[in-house]
Amino acid sequence: MDEAPGLLESQLVQAAYRNADWWRRTTVNHIERTERVDLNRLRTTISGCLLWLDTCLERPEICEPDLLSAFIQQFARLAGSGGQSRSDHSVVAALDQCINWTEGTGEQAASLYRARAIFFRTRVAESRERLSSLQSALSQAIPGSRDWIGTMVDLSEYYVEISRYRQAVRIFDDIRIDAIPDDVQDRYECATSLCRGVVLFSSFRNITQAETCLARACEMETNISGDDELAGWVARAYRYRGRIAELRGKPATALRLYLRGKAIQENLPMDAVVLGFFHLRIGELLAGHKLLSASRDHLAAGRRFFTAGANFGSGTLQADLGYAALYAAQQRYRDAEKIIQEALRASRRIGFRRGELLCLGYLILLQLRGGHLLRVPVSCAGAALTLWRGELSRNNIVGLLCNMPAMLSLAIRRMSDKWGHKRATERLAMCPCELHEHMEL
């Protein structure tokens, strides 16, 4: 009697499962898929990796350790960059399994802890899980190694996001440069310059010095070939330089810097969140110069990246504010105020104090422009409370107050207010990127 088709298929799968060559081919195929993944297939690719990872970890004796480790690294990067809105537990559980397996082999798992931390960045601003993952990564990384330097950058970024600026810069203060191996000196210099520049800009301590630090990080562009992480740092430095140029009233320079950073990032393995921020900043800039169609293109692209990356943290909230700026530029004040109110509630829910303050600042400007003067004192009181709970308690109050007029001017320019454009020393006529089907003149 012939065997049932289902039973025969099961036997064939089991035979293949025991075949080391088949395992190797399948694993290499998964690695290749993760290196350049299409945005629309990001979550599908992560789900496929999860299934294959279960297969590997159930039978580690048939796996080649080096190849399995390479696959785990790729999965960790993709999971950290992409997120999974419906499979949070599955992704975290898989990363924990990978960490346990790696540590069981006697190897350090710093890169996996880093990926675990990056995954949590898409959820809330201040996260015990994210901080503990970064601390574990730093404790396991070999001092002077690539993971060691990269973890310090990740940790500095985390402290900036929660407005702990002193802690963000102290990470590098006690490290002697002569203790850094020669082969990673350039990476270390780029990392320190980037982090100091971001801290100085985000805390309003010294915008000019921040610009100098970020420019120094961008000088490392000549060394990025074959080093994706270094290239990502350079791209981020260009993005912050663009923000400073925008603050100084140089929109054409800002757009050029944004587009240069975006071009570098697009040649790297997928990081949906980072690409989303590039499109967001470009969209905000264009909205402030009445390039509304081009602005809408970039804001929509940014929203797609944040959605694909399952970002429910600061990225999505700031994308909402980008649309609010666009609506204000179109004189759709009610729509702008509605979306800001929603973003304000979400900022409070996830503990994103800087986002809450930004929402209130935009709200005050809209209320002033709309003539709703009775609402302004309430919003001002909310901003004062946010300052006290967040930025004021964690920041340099002198720097904050001294730079507030410039930041308000930037917000006004993004809403296409004529007074705000008086600071601009350059004219922005169009966005020359490939995203638009036509150019606005």
Side-chain angles (χ1 to χ4, degrees):
M1 182 176 179
D2 293 337
E3 295 183 90
L7 179 60
L8 178 60
E9 182 180 352
S10 175
Q11 291 173 339
L12 289 172
V13 169
Q14 289 177 13
Y17 185 57
R18 292 190 294 269
N19 188 307
D21 289 338
W22 173 80
W23 180 89
R24 165 177 273 276
R25 288 196 302 273
T26 307
T27 303
V28 169
N29 186 40
H30 274 290
I31 292 174
E32 290 175 348
R33 286 179 183 177
T34 61
E35 287 177 347
R36 288 290 185 271
V37 57
D38 179 76
L39 179 65
N40 296 323
R41 294 187 57 80
L42 181 58
R43 297 186 190 179
T44 302
T45 304
I46 293 175
S47 296
C49 287
L50 280 168
L51 292 174
W52 182 241
L53 192 59
D54 286 340
T55 300
C56 296
L57 295 178
E58 283 175 5
R59 295 283 302 278
E61 69 274 8
I62 71 166
C63 305
E64 298 178 28
D66 290 345
L67 188 57
L68 177 57
S69 178
F71 168 63
I72 288 174
Q73 298 293 336
Q74 287 289 354
F75 164 74
R77 176 194 59 76
L78 198 64
S81 301
Q84 270 293 77
S85 60
R86 297 182 181 178
S87 306
D88 292 351
H89 178 73
S90 298
V91 172
V92 174
L95 286 171
D96 287 342
Q97 278 187 292
C98 294
I99 289 169
N100 292 335
W101 179 84
T102 302
E103 291 177 337
T105 64
E107 299 294 325
Q108 58 91 5
S111 59
L112 298 178
Y113 278 114
R114 288 183 64 197
R116 192 177 188 275
I118 292 172
F119 179 79
F120 282 110
R121 76 179 175 180
T122 62
R123 297 301 176 266
V124 293
E126 198 157 357
S127 165
R128 290 182 181 178
E129 292 89 349
R130 184 177 173 189
L131 180 58
S132 65
S133 296
L134 289 171
Q135 290 170 336
S136 296
L138 195 58
S139 68
Q140 287 207 10
I142 300 170
S145 67
R146 288 171 175 259
D147 273 327
W148 181 73
I149 296 172
T151 302
M152 289 194 295
V153 174
D154 296 344
L155 192 56
S156 177
E157 179 183 27
Y158 171 72
Y159 283 133
V160 167
E161 287 184 17
I162 64 171
S163 305
R164 297 287 187 187
Y165 304 112
R166 290 189 182 90
Q167 289 171 273
V169 78
R170 281 176 186 166
I171 294 171
F172 297 92
D173 281 348
D174 298 329
I175 298 170
R176 290 172 37 232
I177 190 67
D178 58 359
I180 307 300
D182 291 340
D183 61 337
V184 292
Q185 283 280 358
D186 288 343
R187 302 182 93 256
Y188 180 77
E189 183 176 349
C190 182
T192 54
S193 297
L194 169 66
C195 291
R196 292 183 191 281
V198 170
V199 170
L200 289 167
F201 171 77
S202 301
S203 63
F204 310 119
R205 276 175 166 77
N206 190 322
I207 303 299
T208 300
Q209 190 177 344
E211 190 173 20
T212 300
C213 290
L214 293 167
R216 191 179 305 123
C218 288
E219 291 173 2
M220 297 298 157
E221 185 178 352
T222 56
N223 301 328
I224 64 176
S225 179
D227 191 334
D228 289 344
E229 187 166 50
L230 179 61
W233 295 341
V234 171
R236 187 177 171 207
Y238 271 115
R239 176 155 56 91
Y240 274 92
R241 286 181 67 193
R243 296 183 69 183
I244 292 174
E246 192 178 354
L247 185 65
R248 296 192 184 286
K250 298 180 178 180
T253 300
L255 182 60
R256 176 178 57 81
L257 292 167
Y258 285 144
L259 291 176
R260 180 57 196 155
K262 184 170 85 68
I264 295 172
Q265 189 66 47
E266 286 173 338
N267 285 320
L268 301 177
M270 168 70 70
D271 191 323
V273 175
V274 173
L275 285 169
F277 273 113
F278 271 109
H279 284 287
L280 168 61
R281 298 308 176 204
I282 294 171
E284 289 175 332
L285 173 64
L286 297 174
H289 290 267
K290 295 190 180 297
L291 300 174
L292 303 183
S293 177
S295 171
R296 194 178 302 109
D297 289 343
H298 281 286
L299 291 175
R303 179 63 68 84
R304 284 197 302 273
F305 278 110
F306 288 131
T307 301
N311 187 293
F312 306 110
S314 65
T316 302
L317 296 175
Q318 293 184 64
D320 288 342
L321 293 180
Y323 273 102
L326 176 63
Y327 292 156
Q330 296 172 316
Q331 297 185 345
R332 295 169 55 185
Y333 300 126
R334 286 188 178 180
D335 292 334
E337 186 168 343
K338 181 180 178 181
I339 200 169
I340 290 172
Q341 291 281 14
E342 292 173 355
L344 177 60
R345 287 191 289 270
S347 295
R348 287 170 174 163
R349 187 172 60 251
I350 69 169
F352 184 37
R353 298 302 182 198
R354 287 194 302 132
E356 183 183 353
L357 182 60
L358 189 60
C359 289
L360 288 164
Y362 271 49
L363 196 58
I364 291 168
L365 290 174
L366 279 175
Q367 290 167 348
L368 287 172
R369 292 187 63 176
H372 302 141
L373 301 183
L374 294 179
R375 299 182 194 174
V376 173
V378 177
S379 298
C380 288
L385 182 59
T386 301
L387 279 168
W388 183 258
R389 289 181 307 190
E391 294 295 298
L392 195 61
S393 63
R394 302 181 178 185
N395 202 350
N396 173 11
I397 183 172
V398 175
L400 184 65
L401 295 177
C402 287
N403 286 281
M404 191 62 73
M407 297 303 293
L408 286 175
S409 175
L410 174 58
I412 292 171
R413 286 201 301 278
R414 284 176 173 173
M415 294 182 183
S416 291
D417 187 274
K418 293 180 180 179
W419 175 76
H421 283 289
K422 289 180 180 179
R423 282 178 54 92
T425 59
E426 300 174 348
R427 181 173 179 269
L428 190 61
M430 64 179 184
C431 178
C433 82
E434 73 289 346
L435 189 63
H436 320 292
E437 295 181 355
H438 61 278
M439 298 294 182
E440 295 192 56
L441 299 174

